[in-house]
Amino acid sequence: MAKEVRVGFLQNNPEILNTKSNTRRIVELLDEVQDALIVLPELATTGYAFENKYEVAEAAEPADVARSPVLEAIADKAARNSLHVVIGFPELSGELIYNSAVLIGPSGLQALYRKIHLFDREKLFFTPGDAPPPVIDVTGYGRIGIMICYDWYFPETARSLAFRGADMIAHPANLVLPWCLDAMKTRSLENRVFSITANRCGTESHGGRTIRFYGRSQVLSPDGNVLAVADDAQEEIRVVTIDPATARDKAISQRNPGMCEVRRRLLPLE
Ligand code: ACM
């Protein structure tokens, strides 16, 4: 693992159901960076406030770079700019639609996660994922865990990523509840992992509903310290340099090995 790596977020403001234009804008913003891991919001290419399942079905694409114009465009930019990108999108798989995120690197698709904890009206449109959130060992970056938005509310999600060795959590989000960004400081601290929450910004009015998203995407250290934070309303791409190896020391003091203590007492020994 390289000692220092560049990680960050792209906070965007997609227009509901305008996938082509949203994707074009994302690619334009991604072009500002090279050699970095960039996390984008949940449903970053379509917007969030869907009115019905037909709209979602129309916007959904397979998790396959060869069959998804959105993922193809991201993969192309990742290859050109030596990027690893985590991005949320509505995924079509057979008859089912998932609220998913993928990790795409310079050589293509590396991982897929289907959101387990669906929030509110998402349950009208999406099928919950039935596989654990992935941890991917990415050469040069360390181990990257993925969870999506409301997964934050369930500490077991981040803990399960940490137990499986994640050095950092990539966390695409469309935050609606006010507590997440503070709660993520605890998720980072209690697991001693970096976290990158990419929230969207802007206001979406569609189908008689209006939702305001509050931005403030953030990168946190394993101490829960804020390494970078975005504005509450502007689109923004931000990168910081971190040493992922610092997430492998879980100790709080010589006598307090941190999460390893919990593991020994609450989980069966391997
Ligand atoms: C959420 O999970 N998008 C609130």
Side-chain angles (χ1 to χ4, degrees):
M1 177 164 53
K3 192 158 167 47
E4 300 217 302
V5 297
R6 286 155 41 78
V7 304
F9 54 76
L10 192 173
Q11 172 171 299
N12 76 333
N13 179 8
E15 184 186 338
I16 182 80
L17 296 171
N18 199 345
T19 306
K20 260 193 191 163
S21 153
N22 296 332
T23 305
R24 213 177 304 123
R25 176 78 181 133
I26 286 169
V27 168
E28 196 177 286
L29 288 165
L30 282 176
D31 201 35
E32 293 175 15
V33 284
Q34 300 221 342
D35 299 312
L37 165 74
I38 303 292
V39 183
L40 283 98
E42 176 185 20
L43 299 168
T45 56
T46 58
Y48 183 80
F50 299 112
E51 187 176 5
N52 56 54
K53 197 159 186 163
Y54 305 104
E55 287 181 348
V56 192
E58 185 84 2
E61 298 191 7
D64 178 350
V65 170
R67 293 190 299 138
S68 157
V70 165
L71 300 190
E72 187 188 16
I74 302 295
D76 180 63
K77 188 49 61 186
R80 283 174 196 274
N81 286 24
S82 190
L83 296 174
H84 287 78
V85 178
V86 176
I87 181 168
F89 73 112
E91 181 209 348
L92 185 65
S93 175
E95 302 274 286
L96 303 179
I97 306 172
Y98 295 95
N99 182 344
S100 296
V102 282
L103 168 65
I104 293 178
S107 53
L109 188 72
Q110 288 188 242
L112 168 70
Y113 169 57
R114 295 170 169 162
K115 186 179 185 181
I116 294 173
H117 302 105
L118 298 173
F119 185 74
D120 203 339
R121 283 174 55 82
E122 291 171 36
K123 295 192 179 194
L124 305 178
F125 315 132
F126 297 109
T127 299
D130 60 3
V135 177
I136 313 102
D137 200 343
V138 178
T139 309
Y141 282 92
R143 297 187 290 244
I144 299 169
I146 302 177
M147 64 183 203
I148 300 178
C149 205
Y150 186 49
D151 285 332
W152 72 266
Y153 194 78
F154 306 90
E156 297 83 359
T157 318
R159 175 58 46 117
S160 92
L161 292 171
F163 273 168
R164 283 177 292 123
D167 299 314
M168 62 190 94
I169 295 178
H171 182 212
N174 274 190
L175 297 175
V176 175
L177 303 175
W179 309 290
C180 173
L181 296 174
D182 285 335
M184 283 307 292
K185 292 177 185 166
T186 305
R187 298 288 166 273
S188 265
L189 177 63
E190 67 198 357
N191 294 300
R192 297 197 68 78
V193 291
F194 292 92
S195 64
I196 307 156
T197 297
N199 190 20
R200 57 159 296 180
C201 58
T203 299
E204 222 171 66
S205 292
H206 186 68
R209 276 173 209 85
T210 296
I211 305 180
R212 184 181 167 272
F213 298 93
Y214 53 83
R216 304 206 314 272
S217 299
Q218 63 184 14
V219 182
L220 303 177
S221 74
D223 291 323
N225 291 326
V226 179
L227 303 178
V229 62
D231 182 79
D232 63 354
Q234 301 297 317
E235 290 193 317
E236 185 172 346
I237 189 159
R238 187 81 77 84
V239 174
V240 296
T241 301
I242 63 165
D243 176 1
T246 57
R248 299 203 181 171
D249 178 5
K250 303 298 184 191
I252 307 299
S253 78
Q254 253 188 341
R255 294 186 181 86
N256 296 101
M259 54 179 272
C260 312
E261 272 181 294
V262 177
R263 182 174 199 175
R264 266 193 274 120
R265 289 183 190 145
L266 297 185
L267 295 183
L269 292 174
E270 280 160 9

